[in-house]
Amino acid sequence: MNPFRPPADAWTRRDVMRNGMASFALLCTVGAPSTLTGKKVQTSAARRAQAQSPFRPFQRDLPIMPELSPIRSTRRLDEYDVAIREGLAEILPGFQTPIYGYDGVYPGPTIVARKGRKAIVNQRNTLSFDSNVHLHGGYVPAASDGHPMDVIAPGGSFRYTYPNDQDGAFLWYHDHAHGRTAKSLYYGLVATYVLHDELERELRLPAGDYDIPLVIQDHAFNRDGSFRYAENVDLGFFGDTILVNGAVAPRMTVKRRRYRFRILNASNARGYRLALGNGRAMTQIASDGGLLAGPVRRKEIPIEPAERVEVVIDFGAYQPGTQLVLRNAGGEQTTTSIMRFDVERGGGAEEFRVPRRLRTFERLPEPNARRRWDLRLATSTGVQWRLNDRGFDPDRIDVRPRLGSTEIWQYTNPSNRIHPMHLHGMLFRMVERSSGVVHAADRGWKDTVAVQPNETVSIQPWFAPYPGRYVFHCHNLEHGDKAMMLQLEVVR
Ligand code: C2O
Ligand code: CU
């Protein structure tokens, strides 16, 4: 047996405090970890790093996920092979952390797609338990959606077809086997999917080396460097260490020019309030489903689990030598630093810009129906989250909207937790928030919306482009697993 295997069958441990005992990271902030045991790599670099605490922010350069190479390309499509498997990742300098990963990598390899060019991804499950893959934010036929009951058994494989017939957007793919997504994502089954289109090129938005994906997750660690996880169905999991692209609060050297950052909150339950350390604004250009109508300047950008925001930062506005921290204004002591940008000299001529208008939105069909979904905790049969007092039942279809129609869905949240509500296979627009006006940055296409405690949020989903069975659920992963998820069937 692989001694590095994450504890697949030891999940049921009850939490002691908020999420188990304080993890290694918190211990390290108060005292030197002189009694480390476990599978550390014995190099002098490792010992040095250890002496300095592997959790100190800004020690490592920002890693960039590898790009997945097609095994076959034709004029119309790219085909990929991926193995879902165990792997090791050097997240803390000098330690090997056991992970589950797409091709054994954490975060997994990025799929770079083009609008109008199909992608076929053959996923092979080499793990000892069911897995599957959901392309989050994609217009995907139901058969390839990664519905929680459509799983790939150990040893099996599945051919996912992604038409890429939607506007450019920052999507992601992740595990969705029912009841264990919290652990599977936590242990590494997350990856980004960048869908490009012509418009972004015509607009001359920052591209190539100046277009950077950032995957933010919070984690906790055991003393041997392995991920620490304790289930908490009410709160969801909160870690004490921020990872960006799999490194503890890294740093990135930037030129004095514009960069586009595609930011994904892939955390189980934690929301962030992104802010620059010097209090200056960032320019948000896109949300979940792609570009906004126009850029929006924001000093603080909230991002809840599964949401994406894309920002442009113009480092030309800073002197060489400037160190600019991307902060989490909502963090606790060890979760306030996300990463740091170190501005270097030079940068060459700026070839990119951010035009005042980015896109126009099509008019949606008038809504056919109004529905209300109450988000509540049930404690009668153990701790379970519900929608209209229902939990997930794969044998029940909860709503049957017509293909091509829209409806108004009202999420009301009488609970004291935030619920990031996600709809599979299609997109929606935001209509109303009881707590205030819908922010300009939330007026584009969305696939996930966070409903705050005591808030009512109305959205207008567009049930297109494919018919079939999909799910909508809370993307606080512990909530979704237990069992805050319902089914819809889009009918002709
Ligand atoms: Cu990103 Cu059903 O999930
Ligand atoms: Cu929830």
Side-chain angles (χ1 to χ4, degrees), residues 418-419 474 476 479 484:
I418 298 171
H419 302 287
C474 182
N476 177 316
H479 294 185
M484 206 174 186

Side-chain angles (χ1 to χ4, degrees), residues 151-162:
V151 294
I152 313 172
S157 54
F158 191 83
R159 181 179 167 90
Y160 291 92
T161 301
Y162 303 132

Side-chain angles (χ1 to χ4, degrees), residues 109-121:
T110 299
I111 295 179
V112 179
R114 293 224 146 257
K115 185 178 180 180
R117 235 184 122 69
K118 203 191 260 187
I120 293 176
V121 187

Side-chain angles (χ1 to χ4, degrees), residues 72-380:
R72 180 169 82 94
S73 290
T74 69
R75 274 177 46 220
R76 288 156 175 244
L77 65 84
D78 297 300
E79 183 163 354
Y80 303 89
D81 274 357
V82 177
I84 304 168
R85 60 176 182 85
E86 295 172 3
L88 293 170
E90 188 169 344
I91 295 166
L92 308 174
F95 291 85
Q96 297 286 312
T97 300
I99 54 125
Y100 298 128
Y102 296 108
D103 280 347
V105 177
Y106 165 73
T110 299
I111 295 179
V112 179
R114 293 224 146 257
K115 185 178 180 180
R117 235 184 122 69
K118 203 191 260 187
I120 293 176
V121 187
N122 302 301
Q123 293 274 3
R124 193 161 48 88
N125 179 13
T126 75
L127 301 176
S128 58
F129 49 87
D130 290 346
S131 185
N132 74 357
V133 182
H134 169 55
L135 177 61
H136 183 126
Y139 279 172
V140 174
S144 284
D145 177 59
H147 182 284
M149 305 313 284
D150 294 340
V151 294
I152 313 172
S157 54
F158 191 83
R159 181 179 167 90
Y160 291 92
T161 301
Y162 303 132
N164 296 323
D165 277 331
Q166 68 189 95
D167 293 333
F170 183 40
L171 312 180
W172 58 306
Y173 61 100
H174 63 73
D175 182 87
H176 219 303
H178 187 55
R180 56 173 315 139
T181 60
K183 294 124 193 170
S184 299
L185 270 73
Y186 184 78
Y187 280 91
L189 291 173
V190 292
T192 60
Y193 187 106
V194 179
L195 177 56
H196 292 294
D197 66 8
E198 278 307 309
L199 178 60
E200 59 181 358
R201 207 210 320 253
E202 282 161 23
L203 293 169
R204 296 193 10 232
L205 295 169
D209 291 346
Y210 307 99
D211 178 355
I212 309 283
L214 302 176
V215 178
I216 306 178
Q217 281 191 313
D218 58 334
H219 272 91
F221 291 86
N222 297 309
R223 280 164 175 266
D224 60 3
S226 60
F227 283 144
R228 181 186 192 97
Y229 181 84
E231 186 176 73
N232 184 325
V233 175
D234 179 6
L235 270 174
F237 173 86
F238 280 77
D240 51 24
T241 305
I242 304 296
L243 305 183
V244 182
N245 296 354
V248 177
R251 63 176 179 230
M252 178 192 181
T253 304
V254 293
K255 301 205 163 79
R256 300 185 62 216
R257 46 183 306 163
R258 296 192 177 99
Y259 284 71
R260 173 181 187 168
F261 294 101
R262 301 176 187 252
I263 307 174
L264 159 66
N265 180 356
S267 307
N268 283 36
R270 180 184 286 278
Y272 302 83
R273 283 161 38 211
L274 308 173
L276 291 176
N278 60 3
R280 289 223 212 153
M282 294 172 276
T283 304
Q284 187 175 341
I285 58 168
S287 61
D288 304 338
L291 294 175
L292 302 173
V296 181
R297 304 270 298 158
R298 301 180 87 176
K299 289 195 168 162
E300 203 173 285
I301 305 180
I303 183 168
E304 293 295 334
E307 286 188 305
R308 283 88 68 211
V309 299
E310 298 187 42
V311 299
V312 171
I313 303 178
D314 185 358
F315 297 106
Y318 301 100
Q319 292 308 311
T322 306
Q323 297 185 327
L324 199 57
V325 174
L326 179 64
R327 297 177 52 239
N328 170 21
E332 303 95 35
Q333 45 168 348
T334 62
T335 54
T336 53
S337 297
I338 296 173
M339 64 177 292
R340 191 179 73 196
F341 304 108
D342 295 352
V343 183
E344 63 175 16
R345 200 164 289 286
E350 179 64 80
E351 57 197 287
F352 300 117
R353 46 179 204 150
V354 181
R356 293 254 291 274
R357 293 223 40 94
L358 297 171
R359 73 176 299 168
T360 52
F361 286 94
E362 52 270 74
R363 231 197 141 73
L364 291 179
E366 285 302 309
N368 266 353
R370 296 187 149 264
R371 299 180 202 275
R372 171 175 157 166
W373 308 105
D374 289 338
L375 318 177
R376 274 182 214 279
L377 188 70
T379 47
S380 46

